[in-house]
Amino acid sequence: MDLRPGADSCYKCTSCDTSCPVAEVDDSFPGPKFQGPEQWRLKRKEDTEIDDSIMGCSNCMRCDGACPSDVPLSQMHNSARGEYVDNQMDKLSREYIRNRILANYGTLARLGSKVPRLTNAVMGNSLVQKVNEKVLGITAERDFPEFADETFRSWWKKRGGPKVQSEEKRIAYFHGDYANYNTVEVAKALVRVYEEFGYEILVPDQRCSGTPMFANGMLDDARRSAKVNVENLGDAIENGYDIVASCTSCSMALRQEYPEQFDLDGTETVAANTYDALEYLLINENVIDPIRAVDGDELDLPDFAYHAPCHSRNQGLDRQAVELFRHLDGVGVEDVGDSCSGISGTYGWKEEKYDYSMAIGEEMFEHMEHAEGETGMTECPTCSMQMEHGTGYEINHPLEVLEKALVETDVEV
Ligand code: SF4
Ligand code: SF4
């Protein structure tokens, strides 16, 4: 795709550079202005190679929101990274193999979740972690996310699917890999909360949203996933379902990255009918009144330190959880500021990026520790890992808090 015309809108104000968390901590990273408009301007047909520093971009997308001139920065970065990986990267290199494994977490998870206890024991072994770091370049500093005893999809099947039938209120749930294999309690919370509001839920066949593939320049892998997702989600839309995701990086991929990168039939329809789970409820239901009616002191809920993920910020959803839960009496929710958590999906799992990732997250860790609540809250599973890693706090998803407040009490919704 030729993105040079977009580059002409850049007037070199450097707002994108000053918003880039990677450029702030990594002196070797030239920043979004260079990676985006400058690189695309330099490209004359096929005669200029992509600068290898493009692999330093974490795909946090903060530069997109910073640009006053609507330069399609992250689209430029994703396209350049894809071109770099396809044409310039050694496919036998450790970096390529490691990135391919990280980008295709779902493949690993599918196998690992068949024997979750054994996988958890093996992946949690410090010797295995050291070997992973030496051989593959996956940092040994982090604990591998544990697999749940039962995937969300098998729980859903055993349960017999939806408990609520409705012609008018229908959502198709895009759970993504992480809520299916790891944080199954978040997926279950979504089901219980939405059924409480009278929604019929469909759980369509699906693949990874592709976010980690975009971030690693694996555009062919992302395209394969996107094709399956767009087809299945498109069918659900035709049958009257809206698409709802519990991870803000998943909703962002379906809404922004698919239409930017792929010309698949139905991509625009899927993008236009996809929502974040909390966002969709706030648009369509009166959530605030029942939340106000809850006696927060009777709930077994702590105060929370809330972090808005960059990909939620990118969709304009950064204040929604704080704005909602401020109506929940007796439970404090404090926004810990607008800094990036630093993990950015697979970025913080790379051995050579780990220290940068922690340096980026430092501001968030400090704010969390100064906040009154000693439990974290966020919508993004990898931000959640980083929050826990940097502070030792337990982290909840807003849907889990909503479940406690509205489903486990007698409050009418
Ligand atoms: S996406 Fe994030 S890391 Fe990449 S250039 Fe933009 S701000 Fe920097
Ligand atoms: S923020 Fe936009 S206009 Fe300003 S330098 Fe970056 S790309 Fe150019």
Side-chain angles (χ1 to χ4, degrees), residues 105-106 109 143-148 151-152 173 175-187 208-209 246-247 250 349 379-385 388:
Y105 171 72
D143 292 329
F144 197 80
E146 291 207 343
F147 290 113
T151 66
F152 167 68
Y173 178 29
H175 48 68
D177 284 333
Y178 208 70
N180 185 38
Y181 296 113
N182 301 93
T183 52
V184 173
E185 61 286 355
V186 171
C208 167
S209 68
S246 51
C247 161
C250 291
W349 281 89
E379 287 96 339
C380 167
T382 52
C383 288
S384 170
M385 279 177 211
E388 188 183 346

PDB file of all heavy atoms in Angstrom, residues 105-106 109 143-148 151-152 173 175-187 208-209 246-247 250 349 379-385 388:
ATOM      1  N   TYR A 105       0.640 -16.579  19.808  1.00  0.00           N
ATOM      2  CA  TYR A 105       0.420 -17.121  21.151  1.00  0.00           C
ATOM      3  C   TYR A 105      -0.721 -18.144  21.171  1.00  0.00           C
ATOM      4  O   TYR A 105      -0.675 -19.139  21.887  1.00  0.00           O
ATOM      5  CB  TYR A 105       0.113 -15.958  22.117  1.00  0.00           C
ATOM      6  CG  TYR A 105      -0.338 -16.423  23.474  1.00  0.00           C
ATOM      7  CD1 TYR A 105       0.556 -16.996  24.364  1.00  0.00           C
ATOM      8  CD2 TYR A 105      -1.679 -16.327  23.855  1.00  0.00           C
ATOM      9  CE1 TYR A 105       0.138 -17.444  25.605  1.00  0.00           C
ATOM     10  CE2 TYR A 105      -2.108 -16.774  25.093  1.00  0.00           C
ATOM     11  CZ  TYR A 105      -1.191 -17.332  25.963  1.00  0.00           C
ATOM     12  OH  TYR A 105      -1.616 -17.795  27.183  1.00  0.00           O
ATOM     13  N   GLY A 106      -1.745 -17.917  20.353  1.00  0.00           N
ATOM     14  CA  GLY A 106      -2.918 -18.793  20.330  1.00  0.00           C
ATOM     15  C   GLY A 106      -2.553 -20.233  19.985  1.00  0.00           C
ATOM     16  O   GLY A 106      -3.141 -21.178  20.519  1.00  0.00           O
ATOM     17  N   ALA A 109      -1.030 -21.661  23.011  1.00  0.00           N
ATOM     18  CA  ALA A 109      -2.057 -21.765  24.045  1.00  0.00           C
ATOM     19  C   ALA A 109      -2.989 -22.947  23.774  1.00  0.00           C
ATOM     20  O   ALA A 109      -3.412 -23.634  24.697  1.00  0.00           O
ATOM     21  CB  ALA A 109      -2.854 -20.475  24.125  1.00  0.00           C
ATOM     22  N   ASP A 143       6.771 -13.985  34.777  1.00  0.00           N
ATOM     23  CA  ASP A 143       6.137 -15.286  34.952  1.00  0.00           C
ATOM     24  C   ASP A 143       5.208 -15.533  33.783  1.00  0.00           C
ATOM     25  O   ASP A 143       4.392 -14.664  33.429  1.00  0.00           O
ATOM     26  CB  ASP A 143       5.303 -15.306  36.249  1.00  0.00           C
ATOM     27  CG  ASP A 143       6.212 -15.224  37.461  1.00  0.00           C
ATOM     28  OD1 ASP A 143       7.350 -15.720  37.373  1.00  0.00           O
ATOM     29  OD2 ASP A 143       5.780 -14.640  38.476  1.00  0.00           O
ATOM     30  N   PHE A 144       5.334 -16.698  33.200  1.00  0.00           N
ATOM     31  CA  PHE A 144       4.475 -17.041  32.075  1.00  0.00           C
ATOM     32  C   PHE A 144       3.010 -17.065  32.546  1.00  0.00           C
ATOM     33  O   PHE A 144       2.723 -17.581  33.628  1.00  0.00           O
ATOM     34  CB  PHE A 144       4.877 -18.420  31.546  1.00  0.00           C
ATOM     35  CG  PHE A 144       4.363 -18.705  30.174  1.00  0.00           C
ATOM     36  CD1 PHE A 144       5.000 -18.199  29.051  1.00  0.00           C
ATOM     37  CD2 PHE A 144       3.218 -19.461  29.997  1.00  0.00           C
ATOM     38  CE1 PHE A 144       4.509 -18.435  27.797  1.00  0.00           C
ATOM     39  CE2 PHE A 144       2.716 -19.710  28.740  1.00  0.00           C
ATOM     40  CZ  PHE A 144       3.369 -19.199  27.634  1.00  0.00           C
ATOM     41  N   PRO A 145       2.070 -16.481  31.782  1.00  0.00           N
ATOM     42  CA  PRO A 145       0.668 -16.469  32.232  1.00  0.00           C
ATOM     43  C   PRO A 145       0.113 -17.885  32.376  1.00  0.00           C
ATOM     44  O   PRO A 145       0.306 -18.714  31.493  1.00  0.00           O
ATOM     45  CB  PRO A 145      -0.065 -15.719  31.110  1.00  0.00           C
ATOM     46  CG  PRO A 145       0.847 -15.733  29.937  1.00  0.00           C
ATOM     47  CD  PRO A 145       2.244 -15.858  30.456  1.00  0.00           C
ATOM     48  N   GLU A 146      -0.556 -18.148  33.475  1.00  0.00           N
ATOM     49  CA  GLU A 146      -1.053 -19.505  33.727  1.00  0.00           C
ATOM     50  C   GLU A 146      -2.302 -19.813  32.890  1.00  0.00           C
ATOM     51  O   GLU A 146      -3.138 -18.935  32.676  1.00  0.00           O
ATOM     52  CB  GLU A 146      -1.411 -19.659  35.204  1.00  0.00           C
ATOM     53  CG  GLU A 146      -0.185 -19.646  36.078  1.00  0.00           C
ATOM     54  CD  GLU A 146      -0.370 -20.404  37.375  1.00  0.00           C
ATOM     55  OE1 GLU A 146      -1.544 -20.667  37.744  1.00  0.00           O
ATOM     56  OE2 GLU A 146       0.647 -20.727  38.000  1.00  0.00           O
ATOM     57  N   PHE A 147      -2.398 -21.053  32.469  1.00  0.00           N
ATOM     58  CA  PHE A 147      -3.617 -21.489  31.771  1.00  0.00           C
ATOM     59  C   PHE A 147      -4.673 -21.875  32.787  1.00  0.00           C
ATOM     60  O   PHE A 147      -4.369 -22.467  33.820  1.00  0.00           O
ATOM     61  CB  PHE A 147      -3.317 -22.688  30.865  1.00  0.00           C
ATOM     62  CG  PHE A 147      -2.469 -22.327  29.682  1.00  0.00           C
ATOM     63  CD1 PHE A 147      -1.175 -22.808  29.557  1.00  0.00           C
ATOM     64  CD2 PHE A 147      -2.954 -21.488  28.703  1.00  0.00           C
ATOM     65  CE1 PHE A 147      -0.387 -22.450  28.478  1.00  0.00           C
ATOM     66  CE2 PHE A 147      -2.174 -21.113  27.619  1.00  0.00           C
ATOM     67  CZ  PHE A 147      -0.892 -21.601  27.509  1.00  0.00           C
ATOM     68  N   ALA A 148      -5.927 -21.558  32.456  1.00  0.00           N
ATOM     69  CA  ALA A 148      -7.041 -21.950  33.329  1.00  0.00           C
ATOM     70  C   ALA A 148      -7.264 -23.459  33.206  1.00  0.00           C
ATOM     71  O   ALA A 148      -6.885 -24.071  32.202  1.00  0.00           O
ATOM     72  CB  ALA A 148      -8.294 -21.204  32.902  1.00  0.00           C
ATOM     73  N   THR A 151     -10.976 -24.096  29.431  1.00  0.00           N
ATOM     74  CA  THR A 151     -11.073 -22.898  28.578  1.00  0.00           C
ATOM     75  C   THR A 151     -12.500 -22.330  28.659  1.00  0.00           C
ATOM     76  O   THR A 151     -13.446 -23.056  29.009  1.00  0.00           O
ATOM     77  CB  THR A 151     -10.759 -23.216  27.096  1.00  0.00           C
ATOM     78  OG1 THR A 151     -11.774 -24.068  26.593  1.00  0.00           O
ATOM     79  CG2 THR A 151      -9.390 -23.853  26.925  1.00  0.00           C
ATOM     80  N   PHE A 152     -12.606 -21.060  28.268  1.00  0.00           N
ATOM     81  CA  PHE A 152     -13.940 -20.445  28.254  1.00  0.00           C
ATOM     82  C   PHE A 152     -14.858 -21.184  27.283  1.00  0.00           C
ATOM     83  O   PHE A 152     -16.022 -21.450  27.588  1.00  0.00           O
ATOM     84  CB  PHE A 152     -13.843 -18.962  27.872  1.00  0.00           C
ATOM     85  CG  PHE A 152     -15.177 -18.370  27.551  1.00  0.00           C
ATOM     86  CD1 PHE A 152     -16.137 -18.192  28.541  1.00  0.00           C
ATOM     87  CD2 PHE A 152     -15.515 -18.020  26.242  1.00  0.00           C
ATOM     88  CE1 PHE A 152     -17.389 -17.672  28.242  1.00  0.00           C
ATOM     89  CE2 PHE A 152     -16.762 -17.503  25.937  1.00  0.00           C
ATOM     90  CZ  PHE A 152     -17.701 -17.324  26.946  1.00  0.00           C
ATOM     91  N   TYR A 173     -19.879 -12.481  21.125  1.00  0.00           N
ATOM     92  CA  TYR A 173     -18.741 -12.183  21.982  1.00  0.00           C
ATOM     93  C   TYR A 173     -17.424 -12.552  21.295  1.00  0.00           C
ATOM     94  O   TYR A 173     -17.178 -13.710  20.968  1.00  0.00           O
ATOM     95  CB  TYR A 173     -18.903 -12.956  23.298  1.00  0.00           C
ATOM     96  CG  TYR A 173     -17.754 -12.790  24.282  1.00  0.00           C
ATOM     97  CD1 TYR A 173     -16.977 -11.631  24.320  1.00  0.00           C
ATOM     98  CD2 TYR A 173     -17.463 -13.806  25.193  1.00  0.00           C
ATOM     99  CE1 TYR A 173     -15.943 -11.496  25.226  1.00  0.00           C
ATOM    100  CE2 TYR A 173     -16.425 -13.669  26.110  1.00  0.00           C
ATOM    101  CZ  TYR A 173     -15.658 -12.518  26.108  1.00  0.00           C
ATOM    102  OH  TYR A 173     -14.618 -12.384  26.991  1.00  0.00           O
ATOM    103  N   HIS A 175     -14.002 -13.084  22.342  1.00  0.00           N
ATOM    104  CA  HIS A 175     -13.241 -13.232  23.594  1.00  0.00           C
ATOM    105  C   HIS A 175     -11.737 -13.133  23.385  1.00  0.00           C
ATOM    106  O   HIS A 175     -10.999 -12.789  24.294  1.00  0.00           O
ATOM    107  CB  HIS A 175     -13.591 -14.556  24.285  1.00  0.00           C
ATOM    108  CG  HIS A 175     -13.566 -15.751  23.382  1.00  0.00           C
ATOM    109  ND1 HIS A 175     -12.409 -16.251  22.835  1.00  0.00           N
ATOM    110  CD2 HIS A 175     -14.575 -16.532  22.899  1.00  0.00           C
ATOM    111  CE1 HIS A 175     -12.702 -17.305  22.070  1.00  0.00           C
ATOM    112  NE2 HIS A 175     -14.008 -17.494  22.088  1.00  0.00           N
ATOM    113  N   GLY A 176     -11.272 -13.457  22.140  1.00  0.00           N
ATOM    114  CA  GLY A 176      -9.829 -13.460  21.911  1.00  0.00           C
ATOM    115  C   GLY A 176      -9.177 -14.636  22.632  1.00  0.00           C
ATOM    116  O   GLY A 176      -9.835 -15.396  23.341  1.00  0.00           O
ATOM    117  N   ASP A 177      -7.876 -14.783  22.443  1.00  0.00           N
ATOM    118  CA  ASP A 177      -7.176 -15.936  23.016  1.00  0.00           C
ATOM    119  C   ASP A 177      -7.022 -15.848  24.528  1.00  0.00           C
ATOM    120  O   ASP A 177      -7.125 -16.843  25.230  1.00  0.00           O
ATOM    121  CB  ASP A 177      -5.779 -16.068  22.392  1.00  0.00           C
ATOM    122  CG  ASP A 177      -5.856 -16.634  20.984  1.00  0.00           C
ATOM    123  OD1 ASP A 177      -6.825 -17.370  20.701  1.00  0.00           O
ATOM    124  OD2 ASP A 177      -4.962 -16.349  20.180  1.00  0.00           O
ATOM    125  N   TYR A 178      -6.726 -14.677  25.008  1.00  0.00           N
ATOM    126  CA  TYR A 178      -6.348 -14.572  26.416  1.00  0.00           C
ATOM    127  C   TYR A 178      -7.516 -14.889  27.355  1.00  0.00           C
ATOM    128  O   TYR A 178      -7.357 -15.638  28.319  1.00  0.00           O
ATOM    129  CB  TYR A 178      -5.750 -13.185  26.697  1.00  0.00           C
ATOM    130  CG  TYR A 178      -4.787 -13.284  27.839  1.00  0.00           C
ATOM    131  CD1 TYR A 178      -3.569 -13.938  27.695  1.00  0.00           C
ATOM    132  CD2 TYR A 178      -5.114 -12.776  29.084  1.00  0.00           C
ATOM    133  CE1 TYR A 178      -2.700 -14.086  28.760  1.00  0.00           C
ATOM    134  CE2 TYR A 178      -4.252 -12.911  30.147  1.00  0.00           C
ATOM    135  CZ  TYR A 178      -3.043 -13.565  29.980  1.00  0.00           C
ATOM    136  OH  TYR A 178      -2.194 -13.717  31.035  1.00  0.00           O
ATOM    137  N   ALA A 179      -8.700 -14.360  27.076  1.00  0.00           N
ATOM    138  CA  ALA A 179      -9.851 -14.652  27.934  1.00  0.00           C
ATOM    139  C   ALA A 179     -10.313 -16.094  27.745  1.00  0.00           C
ATOM    140  O   ALA A 179     -10.943 -16.675  28.624  1.00  0.00           O
ATOM    141  CB  ALA A 179     -11.001 -13.687  27.639  1.00  0.00           C
ATOM    142  N   ASN A 180      -9.987 -16.700  26.608  1.00  0.00           N
ATOM    143  CA  ASN A 180     -10.359 -18.091  26.396  1.00  0.00           C
ATOM    144  C   ASN A 180      -9.448 -19.038  27.174  1.00  0.00           C
ATOM    145  O   ASN A 180      -9.918 -19.969  27.821  1.00  0.00           O
ATOM    146  CB  ASN A 180     -10.298 -18.422  24.897  1.00  0.00           C
ATOM    147  CG  ASN A 180     -10.795 -19.824  24.600  1.00  0.00           C
ATOM    148  OD1 ASN A 180     -11.761 -20.292  25.217  1.00  0.00           O
ATOM    149  ND2 ASN A 180     -10.141 -20.517  23.692  1.00  0.00           N
ATOM    150  N   TYR A 181      -8.142 -18.770  27.134  1.00  0.00           N
ATOM    151  CA  TYR A 181      -7.194 -19.717  27.727  1.00  0.00           C
ATOM    152  C   TYR A 181      -6.726 -19.332  29.125  1.00  0.00           C
ATOM    153  O   TYR A 181      -6.333 -20.191  29.904  1.00  0.00           O
ATOM    154  CB  TYR A 181      -5.952 -19.851  26.838  1.00  0.00           C
ATOM    155  CG  TYR A 181      -6.246 -20.428  25.479  1.00  0.00           C
ATOM    156  CD1 TYR A 181      -6.111 -19.664  24.322  1.00  0.00           C
ATOM    157  CD2 TYR A 181      -6.676 -21.751  25.353  1.00  0.00           C
ATOM    158  CE1 TYR A 181      -6.380 -20.194  23.075  1.00  0.00           C
ATOM    159  CE2 TYR A 181      -6.949 -22.287  24.105  1.00  0.00           C
ATOM    160  CZ  TYR A 181      -6.801 -21.507  22.971  1.00  0.00           C
ATOM    161  OH  TYR A 181      -7.077 -22.037  21.738  1.00  0.00           O
ATOM    162  N   ASN A 182      -6.678 -18.042  29.423  1.00  0.00           N
ATOM    163  CA  ASN A 182      -6.038 -17.620  30.672  1.00  0.00           C
ATOM    164  C   ASN A 182      -7.008 -16.978  31.655  1.00  0.00           C
ATOM    165  O   ASN A 182      -7.275 -17.532  32.714  1.00  0.00           O
ATOM    166  CB  ASN A 182      -4.869 -16.679  30.364  1.00  0.00           C
ATOM    167  CG  ASN A 182      -3.829 -17.337  29.466  1.00  0.00           C
ATOM    168  OD1 ASN A 182      -3.886 -17.206  28.262  1.00  0.00           O
ATOM    169  ND2 ASN A 182      -2.900 -18.073  30.042  1.00  0.00           N
ATOM    170  N   THR A 183      -7.547 -15.814  31.305  1.00  0.00           N
ATOM    171  CA  THR A 183      -8.437 -15.109  32.240  1.00  0.00           C
ATOM    172  C   THR A 183      -9.901 -15.461  31.948  1.00  0.00           C
ATOM    173  O   THR A 183     -10.712 -14.603  31.596  1.00  0.00           O
ATOM    174  CB  THR A 183      -8.234 -13.582  32.154  1.00  0.00           C
ATOM    175  OG1 THR A 183      -8.352 -13.204  30.779  1.00  0.00           O
ATOM    176  CG2 THR A 183      -6.884 -13.163  32.690  1.00  0.00           C
ATOM    177  N   VAL A 184     -10.209 -16.734  32.118  1.00  0.00           N
ATOM    178  CA  VAL A 184     -11.556 -17.229  31.802  1.00  0.00           C
ATOM    179  C   VAL A 184     -12.608 -16.540  32.681  1.00  0.00           C
ATOM    180  O   VAL A 184     -13.752 -16.345  32.262  1.00  0.00           O
ATOM    181  CB  VAL A 184     -11.567 -18.768  31.994  1.00  0.00           C
ATOM    182  CG1 VAL A 184     -12.960 -19.342  31.855  1.00  0.00           C
ATOM    183  CG2 VAL A 184     -10.642 -19.418  30.977  1.00  0.00           C
ATOM    184  N   GLU A 185     -12.203 -16.104  33.875  1.00  0.00           N
ATOM    185  CA  GLU A 185     -13.161 -15.449  34.780  1.00  0.00           C
ATOM    186  C   GLU A 185     -13.675 -14.128  34.179  1.00  0.00           C
ATOM    187  O   GLU A 185     -14.815 -13.731  34.452  1.00  0.00           O
ATOM    188  CB  GLU A 185     -12.566 -15.232  36.191  1.00  0.00           C
ATOM    189  CG  GLU A 185     -11.337 -14.352  36.306  1.00  0.00           C
ATOM    190  CD  GLU A 185     -10.034 -14.984  35.818  1.00  0.00           C
ATOM    191  OE1 GLU A 185     -10.035 -16.176  35.457  1.00  0.00           O
ATOM    192  OE2 GLU A 185      -9.022 -14.275  35.778  1.00  0.00           O
ATOM    193  N   VAL A 186     -12.856 -13.481  33.350  1.00  0.00           N
ATOM    194  CA  VAL A 186     -13.306 -12.237  32.696  1.00  0.00           C
ATOM    195  C   VAL A 186     -14.398 -12.565  31.679  1.00  0.00           C
ATOM    196  O   VAL A 186     -15.440 -11.898  31.610  1.00  0.00           O
ATOM    197  CB  VAL A 186     -12.115 -11.512  32.002  1.00  0.00           C
ATOM    198  CG1 VAL A 186     -12.600 -10.357  31.142  1.00  0.00           C
ATOM    199  CG2 VAL A 186     -11.109 -11.027  33.045  1.00  0.00           C
ATOM    200  N   ALA A 187     -14.185 -13.626  30.899  1.00  0.00           N
ATOM    201  CA  ALA A 187     -15.172 -14.030  29.894  1.00  0.00           C
ATOM    202  C   ALA A 187     -16.480 -14.449  30.573  1.00  0.00           C
ATOM    203  O   ALA A 187     -17.575 -14.097  30.108  1.00  0.00           O
ATOM    204  CB  ALA A 187     -14.610 -15.167  29.056  1.00  0.00           C
ATOM    205  N   CYS A 208      -7.308 -15.409  16.924  1.00  0.00           N
ATOM    206  CA  CYS A 208      -6.700 -14.232  17.574  1.00  0.00           C
ATOM    207  C   CYS A 208      -7.048 -12.973  16.777  1.00  0.00           C
ATOM    208  O   CYS A 208      -7.108 -13.002  15.547  1.00  0.00           O
ATOM    209  CB  CYS A 208      -5.190 -14.437  17.600  1.00  0.00           C
ATOM    210  SG  CYS A 208      -4.238 -12.978  18.023  1.00  0.00           S
ATOM    211  N   SER A 209      -7.265 -11.869  17.477  1.00  0.00           N
ATOM    212  CA  SER A 209      -7.597 -10.625  16.779  1.00  0.00           C
ATOM    213  C   SER A 209      -6.472 -10.185  15.842  1.00  0.00           C
ATOM    214  O   SER A 209      -6.707  -9.449  14.890  1.00  0.00           O
ATOM    215  CB  SER A 209      -7.854  -9.501  17.792  1.00  0.00           C
ATOM    216  OG  SER A 209      -6.644  -9.167  18.449  1.00  0.00           O
ATOM    217  N   SER A 246     -13.997  -8.093  25.095  1.00  0.00           N
ATOM    218  CA  SER A 246     -13.651  -7.730  26.478  1.00  0.00           C
ATOM    219  C   SER A 246     -12.220  -7.201  26.585  1.00  0.00           C
ATOM    220  O   SER A 246     -11.800  -6.757  27.640  1.00  0.00           O
ATOM    221  CB  SER A 246     -13.839  -8.937  27.406  1.00  0.00           C
ATOM    222  OG  SER A 246     -13.184 -10.079  26.896  1.00  0.00           O
ATOM    223  N   CYS A 247     -11.470  -7.273  25.488  1.00  0.00           N
ATOM    224  CA  CYS A 247     -10.089  -6.744  25.489  1.00  0.00           C
ATOM    225  C   CYS A 247     -10.035  -5.553  24.542  1.00  0.00           C
ATOM    226  O   CYS A 247     -10.462  -5.664  23.385  1.00  0.00           O
ATOM    227  CB  CYS A 247      -9.131  -7.843  25.033  1.00  0.00           C
ATOM    228  SG  CYS A 247      -7.537  -7.225  24.484  1.00  0.00           S
ATOM    229  N   CYS A 250      -8.246  -6.062  21.240  1.00  0.00           N
ATOM    230  CA  CYS A 250      -9.033  -6.821  20.245  1.00  0.00           C
ATOM    231  C   CYS A 250     -10.016  -5.889  19.536  1.00  0.00           C
ATOM    232  O   CYS A 250     -10.113  -5.892  18.304  1.00  0.00           O
ATOM    233  CB  CYS A 250      -9.811  -7.954  20.907  1.00  0.00           C
ATOM    234  SG  CYS A 250      -8.783  -9.282  21.536  1.00  0.00           S
ATOM    235  N   TRP A 349       7.929  -8.702  26.514  1.00  0.00           N
ATOM    236  CA  TRP A 349       8.345 -10.101  26.689  1.00  0.00           C
ATOM    237  C   TRP A 349       9.676 -10.382  26.017  1.00  0.00           C
ATOM    238  O   TRP A 349      10.246 -11.460  26.164  1.00  0.00           O
ATOM    239  CB  TRP A 349       7.270 -11.039  26.121  1.00  0.00           C
ATOM    240  CG  TRP A 349       6.133 -11.182  27.070  1.00  0.00           C
ATOM    241  CD1 TRP A 349       5.017 -10.401  27.135  1.00  0.00           C
ATOM    242  CD2 TRP A 349       6.022 -12.121  28.147  1.00  0.00           C
ATOM    243  NE1 TRP A 349       4.220 -10.798  28.176  1.00  0.00           N
ATOM    244  CE2 TRP A 349       4.807 -11.865  28.809  1.00  0.00           C
ATOM    245  CE3 TRP A 349       6.826 -13.162  28.604  1.00  0.00           C
ATOM    246  CZ2 TRP A 349       4.390 -12.607  29.911  1.00  0.00           C
ATOM    247  CZ3 TRP A 349       6.419 -13.909  29.700  1.00  0.00           C
ATOM    248  CH2 TRP A 349       5.217 -13.627  30.335  1.00  0.00           C
ATOM    249  N   GLU A 379      -8.630  -2.906  31.423  1.00  0.00           N
ATOM    250  CA  GLU A 379      -9.335  -3.740  30.440  1.00  0.00           C
ATOM    251  C   GLU A 379      -8.384  -4.625  29.637  1.00  0.00           C
ATOM    252  O   GLU A 379      -8.842  -5.507  28.916  1.00  0.00           O
ATOM    253  CB  GLU A 379     -10.087  -2.859  29.428  1.00  0.00           C
ATOM    254  CG  GLU A 379     -11.325  -2.170  29.957  1.00  0.00           C
ATOM    255  CD  GLU A 379     -11.057  -0.748  30.409  1.00  0.00           C
ATOM    256  OE1 GLU A 379      -9.885  -0.420  30.698  1.00  0.00           O
ATOM    257  OE2 GLU A 379     -12.017   0.032  30.481  1.00  0.00           O
ATOM    258  N   CYS A 380      -7.075  -4.356  29.710  1.00  0.00           N
ATOM    259  CA  CYS A 380      -6.142  -5.048  28.816  1.00  0.00           C
ATOM    260  C   CYS A 380      -5.382  -6.144  29.555  1.00  0.00           C
ATOM    261  O   CYS A 380      -4.785  -5.888  30.601  1.00  0.00           O
ATOM    262  CB  CYS A 380      -5.165  -4.029  28.234  1.00  0.00           C
ATOM    263  SG  CYS A 380      -3.764  -4.788  27.419  1.00  0.00           S
ATOM    264  N   PRO A 381      -5.381  -7.375  29.019  1.00  0.00           N
ATOM    265  CA  PRO A 381      -4.709  -8.467  29.737  1.00  0.00           C
ATOM    266  C   PRO A 381      -3.196  -8.284  29.883  1.00  0.00           C
ATOM    267  O   PRO A 381      -2.627  -8.695  30.898  1.00  0.00           O
ATOM    268  CB  PRO A 381      -5.032  -9.707  28.905  1.00  0.00           C
ATOM    269  CG  PRO A 381      -5.572  -9.230  27.615  1.00  0.00           C
ATOM    270  CD  PRO A 381      -6.090  -7.848  27.819  1.00  0.00           C
ATOM    271  N   THR A 382      -2.540  -7.686  28.887  1.00  0.00           N
ATOM    272  CA  THR A 382      -1.079  -7.556  29.068  1.00  0.00           C
ATOM    273  C   THR A 382      -0.743  -6.368  29.978  1.00  0.00           C
ATOM    274  O   THR A 382       0.201  -6.444  30.765  1.00  0.00           O
ATOM    275  CB  THR A 382      -0.296  -7.491  27.731  1.00  0.00           C
ATOM    276  OG1 THR A 382      -0.850  -6.488  26.915  1.00  0.00           O
ATOM    277  CG2 THR A 382      -0.282  -8.823  27.040  1.00  0.00           C
ATOM    278  N   CYS A 383      -1.530  -5.275  29.922  1.00  0.00           N
ATOM    279  CA  CYS A 383      -1.329  -4.188  30.905  1.00  0.00           C
ATOM    280  C   CYS A 383      -1.504  -4.774  32.308  1.00  0.00           C
ATOM    281  O   CYS A 383      -0.768  -4.432  33.237  1.00  0.00           O
ATOM    282  CB  CYS A 383      -2.333  -3.060  30.720  1.00  0.00           C
ATOM    283  SG  CYS A 383      -2.045  -2.062  29.261  1.00  0.00           S
ATOM    284  N   SER A 384      -2.485  -5.663  32.441  1.00  0.00           N
ATOM    285  CA  SER A 384      -2.755  -6.286  33.721  1.00  0.00           C
ATOM    286  C   SER A 384      -1.524  -7.056  34.226  1.00  0.00           C
ATOM    287  O   SER A 384      -1.146  -6.965  35.393  1.00  0.00           O
ATOM    288  CB  SER A 384      -3.972  -7.197  33.525  1.00  0.00           C
ATOM    289  OG  SER A 384      -4.179  -8.006  34.610  1.00  0.00           O
ATOM    290  N   MET A 385      -0.873  -7.795  33.314  1.00  0.00           N
ATOM    291  CA  MET A 385       0.361  -8.525  33.691  1.00  0.00           C
ATOM    292  C   MET A 385       1.430  -7.566  34.178  1.00  0.00           C
ATOM    293  O   MET A 385       2.125  -7.809  35.158  1.00  0.00           O
ATOM    294  CB  MET A 385       0.955  -9.202  32.442  1.00  0.00           C
ATOM    295  CG  MET A 385       0.356 -10.480  32.039  1.00  0.00           C
ATOM    296  SD  MET A 385       1.222 -10.956  30.498  1.00  0.00           S
ATOM    297  CE  MET A 385      -0.085 -11.837  29.718  1.00  0.00           C
ATOM    298  N   GLU A 388       0.632  -6.037  37.599  1.00  0.00           N
ATOM    299  CA  GLU A 388       0.870  -7.009  38.660  1.00  0.00           C
ATOM    300  C   GLU A 388       2.374  -7.202  38.864  1.00  0.00           C
ATOM    301  O   GLU A 388       2.866  -7.231  39.996  1.00  0.00           O
ATOM    302  CB  GLU A 388       0.208  -8.333  38.268  1.00  0.00           C
ATOM    303  CG  GLU A 388       0.225  -9.347  39.382  1.00  0.00           C
ATOM    304  CD  GLU A 388      -0.375 -10.691  38.966  1.00  0.00           C
ATOM    305  OE1 GLU A 388      -1.031 -10.762  37.919  1.00  0.00           O
ATOM    306  OE2 GLU A 388      -0.152 -11.642  39.716  1.00  0.00           O
TER     307      GLU A 388
END
